[in-house]
Amino acid sequence: MIDLGAVYQVAVDVADASGNPTNPDDATLTITLPDGTVVSPAVPAPTTVGQVRVDYVTVQAGRHVWRLVTSTPTTAYADVFDVEDAVAHGIVSLAEGRAQLNLGPHETVDDDELRGYIAGATSAVEKELGRVVVRRTFTDRFELAGATTQVLLTRVPGLTLTSVAAADGSTTWNTTDLQLNTETGLVTVISGAPLTGTVNVVYEAGLVVIPWNFRLAGKIILQHLWEVQRGRMGGVSLGGSDEPFMTGRGYAVPRRAQELLGTQLPGVA
């Protein structure tokens, strides 16, 4: 995983028509950033024949698309990379994840991969619950046909309103004039002008304290996905204690985790 502010290396090996490594006469790199802007970092001369390497310091979170074009020989390469937010959003820490997988504190070679699995387990828990667990910031845009005093946020539980403003910046609403129902996500104007036009609401949602059963479910899902990825689970069990597959559900969330989360199990009244 690539964290915001970390270096991503564009690595391309260039060869001539005979397949021999060679330095191109010229190379141009373009990177399309998540906001749609394009940057063109300088491409240094290779220190090893044929190995074009460009270190790019990331400045935005999200999907990046890059393309490297060379001349003499004429080649083109393209790929993507994703940059994570500056704030980690895992339901458990990396240390807790290692412990669940019986990895020692110094067994860090798989940390980047493990962080991705923790993120996946976090998403699985939140999908099962139908609510945000890990506290983070969201932005909802409302296209309002007329004036209104209420809007409903898309994610709950809501914690705090950060800002409420017209998309074009022409109008702002003081968050102290608005009331947020944390459980339902309903925002109500209690003082001042009603909301109108295209409005962006920036807010935090999630839990201040994540219950132990949610965290344990996240660790169980993490272990389940990690073992499946490494082929340790063997054939798919249809009746064993792990029961990775359930009719009406997928393979990602074992029954044990569902019970910890308190979600309705198929065929259970």
Side-chain angles (χ1 to χ4, degrees):
M1 297 179 72
I2 305 164
D3 290 305
L4 182 63
V7 173
Y8 172 80
Q9 186 178 80
V10 173
V12 170
D13 292 341
V14 179
D16 60 21
S18 300
N20 300 312
T22 185
N23 291 341
D25 284 355
D26 185 58
T28 301
L29 172 66
T30 57
I31 303 176
T32 302
L33 305 183
D35 66 359
T37 59
V38 178
V39 297
S40 297
V43 180
T47 56
T48 301
V49 175
Q51 295 184 4
V52 178
R53 303 290 186 267
V54 183
D55 289 336
Y56 172 70
V57 180
T58 57
V59 296
Q60 292 183 20
R63 171 60 58 97
H64 294 62
V65 181
W66 64 263
R67 178 175 170 83
L68 183 88
V69 178
T70 70
S71 61
T72 318
T74 300
T75 64
Y77 307 83
D79 204 348
V80 301
F81 63 94
D82 293 291
V83 177
E84 302 301 315
D85 288 328
V87 179
H89 294 144
I91 192 169
V92 296
S93 68
L94 189 57
E96 289 176 293
R98 285 199 215 100
Q100 180 69 21
L101 301 178
N102 294 319
L103 298 174
H106 302 298
E107 295 183 75
T108 59
V109 66
D110 292 323
D111 273 4
D112 276 351
E113 185 179 12
L114 179 55
R115 289 172 60 204
Y117 275 73
I118 291 173
T122 302
S123 296
V125 168
E126 294 186 335
K127 182 179 179 181
E128 281 290 312
L129 293 171
R131 57 202 287 110
V132 180
V133 172
V134 179
R135 182 174 184 166
R136 54 196 186 275
T137 299
F138 299 94
T139 300
D140 285 355
R141 172 168 289 196
F142 298 94
E143 304 284 349
L144 304 174
T148 183
T149 58
Q150 290 185 323
V151 292
L152 190 64
L153 301 179
T154 58
R155 296 170 178 88
V156 294
L159 289 175
T160 60
L161 295 173
T162 304
S163 66
V164 180
D168 60 7
S170 61
T171 307
T172 60
W173 287 264
N174 194 324
T175 57
T176 60
D177 294 333
L178 306 172
Q179 183 181 69
L180 170 62
N181 185 310
T182 58
E183 284 303 309
T184 66
L186 184 67
V187 177
T188 303
V189 178
I190 57 176
S191 178
L195 305 174
T196 185
T198 302
V199 179
N200 290 334
V201 179
V202 181
Y203 62 101
E204 282 193 327
L207 300 177
V208 175
V209 178
I210 301 177
W212 68 266
N213 54 314
F214 290 3
R215 300 202 318 273
L216 181 55
K219 288 192 283 188
I220 289 172
I221 295 169
L222 166 66
Q223 184 174 9
H224 173 71
L225 295 175
W226 190 260
E227 291 177 346
V228 169
Q229 188 261 5
R230 277 154 177 70
R232 299 180 202 156
M233 296 296 290
V236 175
S237 171
L238 295 179
S241 60
D242 287 331
E243 199 166 4
F245 176 75
M246 297 178 62
T247 302
R249 294 292 180 101
Y251 289 89
V253 182
R255 178 185 285 270
R256 295 190 302 275
Q258 292 169 13
E259 290 175 346
L260 284 166
L261 294 172
T263 51
Q264 184 68 32
L265 302 176
V268 179

